Amino acid sequence: MPLGRPVVGVMGSGSARHTHLAEPLGRALARIGVHLLTGGGAGVMESVSRAFSAVPEREGLVIGILPAGDARPDRADADPGTPPGYPNRWVELAIRTHLDARGDDGSGIRSRNHINILSSDVVIALPGSSGTASEVDLTIRYRRPLILLGDTARADRLPGSVPTAESVDEAVEFVRRALRGSGGESLPQGSER
């Protein structure tokens, strides 16, 4: 696998699967030769990861940024572990952290949401709740390319520059354009374009 493969972060509900969006999105992303990054849990994270991993001959990995469990991370001898349900069974590269699933409001310093966004070259936000909203806010703060997929009414509270997509094809085309225009990041050789 070549080094420097782009990472596409997919953020969304930790409980609702939104399979009508997440599954075709996972398959489409696998076909363009990127890594998939999620929070490694249930809901959208599980649906998109399952679909991505099911694509034959894909080149990218399913990456999960995992929260800490209930252990006290302030103790040097503590093993933070992971909460039940993490990682979902389709995560191939689990990155265990000492950080909370949301931490404060999801954008607090102890939230793993910062790692989710900073590790992504492009972010696609599916419907979700306050955790997803904080990831959208962090994506804007860190100036990562972002598109909202489904439930585009969420964009009303965001800057007008945040694009929306009604279909998976629109979202994937946004990813392709963002990666081609990111100055150095591009789709790997041989990727479907």
Side-chain angles (χ1 to χ4, degrees):
M1 185 177 328
L3 295 175
R5 186 170 301 284
V7 176
V8 176
V10 175
M11 310 302 147
S13 175
S15 55
R17 294 179 182 269
H18 296 285
T19 56
H20 67 290
L21 297 171
E23 289 183 359
L25 178 61
R27 289 188 294 270
L29 291 174
R31 290 183 182 113
I32 64 169
V34 298
H35 293 305
L36 170 68
L37 182 143
T38 74
V44 163
M45 299 173 279
E46 186 173 13
S47 292
V48 73
S49 297
R50 179 180 56 241
F52 185 96
S53 68
V55 172
E57 300 177 16
R58 69 183 159 88
E59 297 177 357
L61 293 173
V62 178
I63 303 166
I65 308 295
L66 310 182
D70 292 331
R72 292 186 43 203
D74 57 332
R75 289 187 37 204
D77 62 343
D79 176 3
T82 54
Y86 287 89
N88 68 57
R89 66 182 271 205
W90 290 276
V91 170
E92 297 167 310
L93 176 58
I95 300 176
R96 299 177 193 308
T97 73
H98 63 291
L99 301 168
D100 299 335
R102 288 188 41 227
D104 304 326
D105 65 350
S107 60
I109 195 70
R110 293 216 22 90
S111 171
R112 74 190 161 121
N113 291 353
H114 294 271
I115 297 173
N116 293 349
I117 302 310
L118 289 170
S119 299
S120 299
D121 295 305
V122 179
V123 175
I124 302 172
L126 275 68
S129 60
S130 59
T132 305
S134 73
E135 288 166 323
V136 166
D137 291 342
L138 288 170
T139 304
I140 294 167
R141 180 193 310 174
Y142 293 129
R143 298 183 177 153
R144 293 293 194 262
L146 165 69
I147 190 163
L148 304 182
L149 173 58
D151 185 22
T152 56
R154 304 174 284 160
D156 290 348
R157 68 169 194 81
L158 300 173
S161 61
V162 175
T164 61
E166 295 290 338
S167 74
V168 168
D169 289 342
E170 290 175 77
V172 172
E173 184 54 34
F174 173 85
V175 169
R176 287 183 174 123
R177 284 192 315 270
L179 292 175
R180 280 194 300 262
S182 64
E185 292 291 337
S186 62
L187 292 170
Q189 286 291 347
S191 297
E192 181 181 299
R193 293 186 183 213

